[in-house]
Amino acid sequence: MAIRRKLFAGLAVVLSGMLSFAVQASADLNMRPGVTETSVEAYDLHMAVIWVMTIIAVVVFGLMFYSIFAHRKSKNPTPATFSHSTTVEIIWTAIPIIILIGLSIPAVKLLVKMESWDKVEPDLEIQVTGHQWKWEYKYLDHDISFFSNLKTPREQIDNLEGKVGETKGENYLLEVDNELVLPANKNVIFHLTSKDVIHSWWVPEIAVKKDAIPGFINSTWTNVPKEGTYRGQCTELCGKDHGFMPVVVKVVSESEFAAYIEKKKAEKVAAEKAAAEAAARSWDMEQLMTLGKETYEAKCAACHMVNGEGMPPTFPALKGSKVATGPVEGHIDIVVNGKAGTAMAAYGAQLSDAEIAAIITYERNAWGNETGDKVQPADIQAFKAGN
Amino acid sequence: MADHHPTGIKRWLFTTNHKDIGSMYLWFSFIMFFIGGAMAMVIRAELYQPGLQFVEPNFFNQMTTMHGLIMVFGAVMPSMVGLANWLIPMQIGAPDMALPRMNNWSFWILPFAFTLLLSSLFMEGGAPNFGWTFYAPLSTTYGPPSTDFFILGVHMMGISSIMGAINVIVTVFNMRAPGMTLMKMPLFVWTWVITAFLLIMVMPVLAGAVTMMLTDRHFGTSFFDAAGGGDPVMFQHIFWFFGHPEVYIMILPAFGVASEIIPAFARKKLFGYASMVYATASIALLSFIVWAHHMFTVGMPLAGELFFMIATMLIAVPTGVKVFNWVATMWKGSMTFETPMLFAIAFVILFTIGGFSGVMLAMAPVDFQYHDTYFVVAHFHYVLFPGAIFGTTAAVYYWLPKWTGKMYNEKMGKIHFWWSMIAVNLTFFPMHFSGLAGMPRRIPDYNMMFADFNQLASIGAFALGLSQLFFLFIVIKTIRSGKKSEDKPWDGATGLEWDKLPCPAPYHTFDTPPKVD
């Protein structure tokens, strides 16, 4: 008996120790309230349910543990004989119903608010398109669009950072090359869709999570009062690199946002001009191969692998393949337009003509694919014009 | 004469005996449990640290998919059918199942179905990699070639389940001993009849879903492809119309087990028998009108979201009634805590924790934050592992003397219990936190902020895996060298199988029906 009591005392110490640790660490243990009105309300509702559930648990498990302690055979050798009571059955049906009604009222109110994007006066509309495995953002009012790719270097993911490059940073896997920039205190409407499979766009701090579904448009909204950078991820399994397509939203002041839009517009003009210049001049093999290798490894190697061997049959090999060693037009077509029904995306709008030309040249001359073909940016431009 | 049975391989291939078939189901599910468990170990090893260490992402996706499919269809469901085969005829005083040859067939389909499914791991392009929920178009247009083997495998296990369910229903409605009225049936039988009705209702829906997948993949239809006028979200509606009742298919028989074991060790009749039956039936009925709570983020109309939210929250009411009844059964009883009772109590507590997170997930506006994160993973593992699997484990310890005539080693049973109890919580409780912190499910790599909880969960998972190997050891040791059991090893046990039959139960029982008063 004495040993048992000591055991219980020991257990109590350990448990209270764990509890105090949990309270101290609770900042990391819980949902974050986030920064929008709806995210804070969702957090409050979450906390309310947690407390209700905790109280129920304490009462029910408390009674149960008391029973385990007091109604054991050694303490209570003769069991009672009661086996039903309509009154208590009615009571313990009614009480949960009342509790649930109490919880559902704020839940209904908040749900209505979160889903009423069509009743909000829009200040800015963004089209969010999911691709395997990156997001594309389009500012519908400004004719600007861009892709947002994972920026974390491959060697960090492969744990080679001790040998090459920097170690995993604070934003490992949650960093992108182009963030979505939004103005603070504005009603932003998102229209989500997908080019291939179902993705889901989630930023915890603003409590927006909506599926991007191919062939359909889902809409939702937010209004972020606080400037800052908010990070999330794709939350619907979308294939191989589902874990590697983060969402990063940067919220800035109204004037900074206006400057950002101007900058993006200028970049677009500059890019078009550079592309035209690149397409106008003739590239030599070395230039094409250098740019091709660099772009291939950034955009293509995730599926077709650095060594060009792919992961057949889903991601075919390019080394020795019919496409990469056959007619050039077919090769250009598949890179520019993608291949329907497969993970091969259309890169025509994602990359410049020079990059596409370089990739194709690289694919046709690397890994023993010695076709000797040189594809010029002008060829891509001509292909697109005739397309 | 009574114990005459064929010998050798033919006994098992051609048997129509419910006890032999029950044993085969149980062993089959045990093997699948270890195969699915090995996949869980691969997943947890990869997630032990940030970065990719052991497997590449595509194989990781194959592991999560196959782990889910194997555990749901190969481990949990067959283990429940195994229990049904062993226990239902003995508990209602029938000589065997009503359709014994069909019974043989329902079992023997399974090894072939799972050979097909598992063989996909060795195919070019690998095994299915789209999650056990196989959402279109990831599983249709983008699925690997092995998807067709998966489709055929699902069809076969569906046929097996439907036949098993028909057998249970026919047996229970036609073969009860005289005097065994419906409201006198043991609760395990009741929960299984209700489960069987769920199976008959939803397995054909699953078959429909995979058939539509097949025609979308190969025969030019566009059920789930918007480009041809279809809708990928329709797949999810059809899948979850099967999928939600499916979760009750996995848990209701475990409710039945707890309702047998808790009264036995409290030495007191089950409290509120009738309300237990009605609660089980209400849960089953409600399970048909809540499916879209798995889909709050797909862009349903507000009215739909409100309906599914409220209907889902309602399920807490009958489920609560069951938990309260179990506690009331223990109340003022005269309890002892042998291994089956320990597992049954842990079942009630930990299943209820899964129920709490279930109510949280039901609330659509907060579900937007929980959906598809590790919070969901924690939730359904709480209702499946310490729920369904602890229920089955309790049943195995409780009825092992009846099945084998041998008694397990109580000390080892208790070690197994505490080991599993600590490990299961260490594995799955931290997943609540990583989910709330924002970690999506089904990812092979993650940000540093999730690292601590993942490491804890992985350590827990390895311990949990080992504890189940220990369980296998205990079962084998009991069969080979266990102490002979008394005819009634549990003094509080009631029911025909304990009152009228010795341990072990003879090969043929109740050739003449017992009288029930």
Side-chain angles (χ1 to χ4, degrees):
Chain A
M1 224 36 223
I3 292 173
R4 186 168 283 181
R5 205 161 288 156
K6 259 184 203 160
L7 211 70
F8 274 115
L11 203 66
V13 170
V14 173
L15 277 178
S16 59
M18 277 167 68
L19 199 70
S20 66
F21 168 79
V23 169
Q24 278 167 12
S26 63
D28 314 321
L29 293 171
N30 203 353
M31 184 190 283
R32 279 159 293 167
V35 291
T36 62
E37 209 180 299
T38 47
S39 77
V40 172
E41 282 177 38
Y43 171 81
D44 290 342
L45 190 54
H46 159 78
M47 287 317 290
V49 201
I50 282 204
W51 281 114
V52 171
M53 295 300 142
T54 309
I55 293 165
I56 297 173
V58 167
V59 172
V60 176
F61 297 155
L63 287 170
M64 194 170 167
F65 284 120
Y66 172 76
S67 180
I68 287 171
F69 177 73
H71 306 144
R72 51 178 62 229
K73 200 176 177 189
S74 54
K75 288 193 184 271
N76 189 31
T78 352
T81 53
F82 64 86
S83 72
H84 78 274
S85 157
T86 312
T87 320
V88 297
E89 298 281 357
I90 289 172
I91 292 172
W92 67 40
T93 307
I95 292 177
I97 290 179
I98 295 167
I99 295 173
L100 289 174
I101 291 174
L103 286 175
S104 64
I105 292 169
V108 170
K109 276 189 191 153
L110 179 56
L111 184 62
V112 170
K113 189 181 205 172
M114 289 171 101
E115 293 292 28
S116 57
W117 66 272
D118 50 351
K119 297 186 183 59
V120 172
E121 193 59 47
D123 296 316
L124 181 69
E125 295 192 50
I126 310 268
Q127 182 186 322
V128 180
T129 309
H131 296 258
Q132 279 182 324
W133 295 279
K134 58 197 141 223
W135 294 99
E136 179 190 2
Y137 300 110
K138 187 170 184 182
Y139 291 80
L140 293 173
D141 315 316
H142 302 287
D143 193 28
I144 295 169
S145 71
F146 55 85
F147 285 82
S148 181
N149 295 284
L150 177 70
K151 203 171 70 180
T152 303
R154 190 71 219 173
E155 55 268 21
Q156 288 187 12
I157 296 167
D158 290 333
N159 299 311
L160 300 171
E161 67 255 36
K163 292 152 211 142
V164 242
E166 290 173 31
T167 51
K168 295 181 178 69
E170 190 196 346
N171 297 320
Y172 174 68
L173 297 184
L174 298 177
E175 51 200 344
V176 295
D177 51 1
N178 291 303
E179 303 113 337
L180 173 66
V181 177
L182 297 178
N185 292 310
K186 295 281 175 196
N187 291 330
V188 182
I189 314 280
F190 300 104
H191 303 288
L192 298 107
T193 187
S194 166
K195 273 281 188 223
D196 35 54
V197 299
I198 300 178
H199 303 269
S200 191
W201 195 80
W202 182 35
V203 183
E205 306 255 342
I206 63 174
V208 169
K209 184 187 282 158
K210 206 73 170 174
D211 290 1
I213 297 165
F216 291 84
I217 294 172
N218 269 335
S219 300
T220 185
W221 74 286
T222 191
N223 184 325
V224 192
K226 199 168 153 237
E227 292 172 33
T229 304
Y230 307 108
R231 294 167 202 275
Q233 280 175 273
C234 174
T235 53
E236 183 64 64
L237 178 62
C238 56
K240 185 169 77 72
D241 283 348
H242 162 56
F244 305 92
M245 53 181 292
V247 175
V248 181
V249 176
K250 192 175 163 194
V251 177
V252 297
S253 70
E254 202 178 340
S255 57
E256 276 173 276
F257 181 73
Y260 169 79
I261 291 292
E262 285 316 309
K263 189 180 118 223
K264 276 284 173 194
K265 280 184 175 161
E267 272 175 20
K268 195 180 166 195
V269 173
E272 276 164 8
K273 199 168 153 231
E277 277 168 15
R281 76 180 167 90
S282 177
W283 292 52
D284 69 27
M285 195 67 172
E286 202 191 315
Q287 289 171 323
L288 285 168
M289 287 297 275
T290 312
L291 178 64
K293 185 168 192 303
E294 184 188 314
T295 324
Y296 176 87
E297 280 169 11
K299 305 285 174 187
C300 316
C303 298
H304 294 293
M305 312 304 284
V306 175
N307 60 15
E309 284 170 11
M311 286 182 268
T314 314
F315 306 113
L318 301 175
K319 186 177 172 181
S321 83
K322 275 190 203 140
V323 172
T325 56
V328 177
E329 290 71 35
H331 196 168
I332 297 178
D333 181 34
I334 212 165
V335 177
V336 171
N337 296 322
K339 191 171 174 192
T342 71
M344 181 64 200
Y347 284 91
Q350 295 188 39
L351 301 174
S352 73
D353 292 349
E355 283 170 323
I356 293 176
I359 285 176
I360 293 173
T361 307
Y362 178 70
E363 288 174 351
R364 299 182 75 79
N365 294 288
W367 327 296
N369 287 356
E370 284 166 13
T371 60
D373 292 337
K374 226 168 34 168
V375 179
Q376 294 291 345
D379 299 334
I380 307 297
Q381 210 176 26
F383 177 85
K384 281 183 178 170
N387 201 359
Chain B
M1 183 57 205
D3 241 14
H4 167 80
H5 56 72
T7 49
I9 183 83
K10 282 187 177 172
R11 168 180 175 186
W12 303 104
L13 276 178
F14 301 132
T15 185
T16 53
N17 180 290
H18 72 101
K19 301 184 182 78
D20 280 354
I21 294 173
S23 301
M24 288 197 293
Y25 264 113
L26 288 170
W27 278 112
F28 176 80
S29 68
F30 216 2
I31 294 166
M32 286 297 142
F33 183 50
F34 285 109
I35 296 177
M39 293 170 179
M41 295 302 111
V42 174
I43 295 169
R44 287 315 325 171
E46 180 54 58
L47 292 175
Y48 185 74
Q49 282 181 346
L52 295 178
Q53 287 84 27
F54 302 101
V55 296
E56 46 95 16
N58 193 36
F59 188 72
F60 183 88
N61 289 346
Q62 294 174 34
M63 286 292 107
T64 53
T65 306
M66 294 296 272
H67 165 73
L69 291 169
I70 298 277
M71 287 304 198
V72 167
F73 295 104
V76 176
M77 288 172 72
S79 74
M80 298 301 180
V81 185
L83 293 178
N85 259 290
W86 256 106
L87 298 172
I88 289 177
M90 294 201 293
Q91 290 191 327
I92 62 171
D96 204 310
M97 297 296 277
L99 308 162
R101 282 172 198 274
M102 195 167 91
N103 203 11
N104 171 295
W105 198 31
S106 339
F107 171 75
W108 276 110
I109 287 177
L110 285 181
F112 294 95
F114 282 89
T115 308
L116 262 187
L117 187 62
L118 285 169
S119 69
S120 64
L121 279 165
F122 306 100
M123 289 175 191
E124 199 186 359
N129 55 6
F130 32 65
W132 86 276
T133 50
F134 53 101
Y135 281 9
L138 190 61
S139 63
T140 52
T141 322
Y142 296 82
S146 63
T147 308
D148 303 322
F149 286 77
F150 153 83
I151 290 173
L152 190 57
V154 169
H155 268 306
M156 288 166 69
M157 37 185 111
I159 292 170
S160 159
S161 294
I162 291 170
M163 291 198 302
I166 290 174
N167 220 338
V168 168
I169 293 173
V170 177
T171 307
V172 170
F173 284 108
N174 292 289
M175 302 200 34
R176 297 193 310 279
M180 174 67 78
T181 58
L182 286 177
M183 289 309 273
K184 271 190 194 162
M185 294 195 308
L187 221 77
F188 178 75
V189 179
W190 256 118
T191 52
W192 237 110
V193 175
I194 293 168
T195 303
F197 276 105
L198 289 180
L199 277 167
I200 288 188
M201 298 280 277
V202 302
M203 292 312 282
V205 178
L206 177 66
V210 292
T211 308
M212 288 155 123
M213 267 174 74
L214 188 74
T215 61
D216 266 16
R217 282 168 61 82
H218 298 294
F219 303 105
T221 60
S222 308
F223 290 111
F224 309 131
D225 182 1
D231 183 351
V233 176
M234 184 174 75
F235 174 86
Q236 298 183 25
H237 282 292
I238 297 171
F239 177 83
W240 285 114
F241 187 82
F242 147 80
H244 200 77
E246 168 70 16
V247 308
Y248 292 101
I249 287 166
M250 292 192 278
I251 199 68
L252 292 185
F255 285 174
V257 167
S259 307
E260 301 284 312
I261 291 176
I262 291 173
F265 292 92
R267 294 166 180 78
K268 186 164 157 278
K269 243 177 110 180
L270 180 69
F271 187 86
Y273 172 90
S275 75
M276 285 299 236
V277 174
Y278 301 142
T280 312
S282 321
I283 293 173
L285 286 175
L286 283 171
S287 79
F288 284 110
I289 55 162
V290 297
W291 75 88
H293 65 217
H294 298 268
M295 307 162 47
F296 280 139
T297 62
V298 301
M300 264 186 292
L302 179 62
E305 290 181 337
L306 287 172
F307 172 80
F308 285 107
M309 173 171 86
I310 304 287
T312 305
M313 289 170 79
L314 271 181
I315 291 191
V317 176
T319 314
V321 167
K322 297 200 73 112
V323 173
F324 300 142
N325 276 326
W326 286 319
V327 176
T329 305
M330 293 162 74
W331 197 257
K332 298 227 162 143
S334 180
M335 279 185 277
T336 50
F337 302 95
E338 287 85 344
T339 312
M341 181 64 159
L342 291 174
F343 272 104
I345 292 174
F347 163 83
V348 175
I349 296 171
L350 300 181
F351 173 80
T352 306
I353 291 178
F356 289 143
S357 53
V359 175
M360 298 170 76
L361 286 158
M363 304 180 61
V366 211
D367 178 69
F368 295 147
Q369 295 286 58
Y370 306 138
H371 179 75
D372 265 339
T373 67
Y374 259 80
F375 193 79
V376 177
V377 178
H379 160 73
F380 68 72
H381 279 97
Y382 259 85
V383 291
L384 278 170
F385 205 125
I389 291 170
F390 271 22
T392 314
T393 312
V396 168
Y397 279 112
Y398 184 60
W399 280 290
L400 205 51
K402 184 54 65 187
W403 300 338
T404 64
K406 308 276 183 61
M407 197 65 193
Y408 65 88
N409 181 318
E410 187 59 51
K411 198 172 203 174
M412 285 192 183
K414 289 213 163 97
I415 294 172
H416 172 219
F417 169 75
W418 286 108
W419 186 353
S420 309
M421 178 75 179
I422 292 167
V424 89
N425 285 297
L426 190 59
T427 309
F428 299 117
F429 211 80
M431 292 185 184
H432 289 114
F433 302 133
S434 42
L436 291 175
M439 178 168 166
R441 63 190 287 207
R442 294 164 165 169
I443 57 173
D445 193 5
Y446 49 81
N447 182 273
M448 309 305 203
M449 66 177 152
F450 311 124
D452 294 349
F453 292 127
N454 273 285
Q455 201 159 55
L456 270 183
S458 289
I459 292 168
F462 301 140
L464 189 56
L466 280 178
S467 78
Q468 301 312 306
L469 284 173
F470 185 54
F471 180 38
L472 177 67
F473 170 76
I474 295 172
V475 172
I476 291 174
K477 192 173 169 341
T478 306
I479 294 170
R480 296 180 65 146
S481 61
K483 227 172 53 206
K484 198 182 161 353
S485 161
E486 300 158 41
D487 280 347
K488 197 167 178 184
W490 320 116
D491 57 298
T494 53
L496 292 177
E497 83 272 30
W498 297 111
D499 295 335
K500 310 266 179 181
L501 297 175
C503 284
Y507 195 62
H508 296 292
T509 45
F510 295 134
D511 286 341
T512 43
K515 259 188 73 125
V516 182
D517 11 74

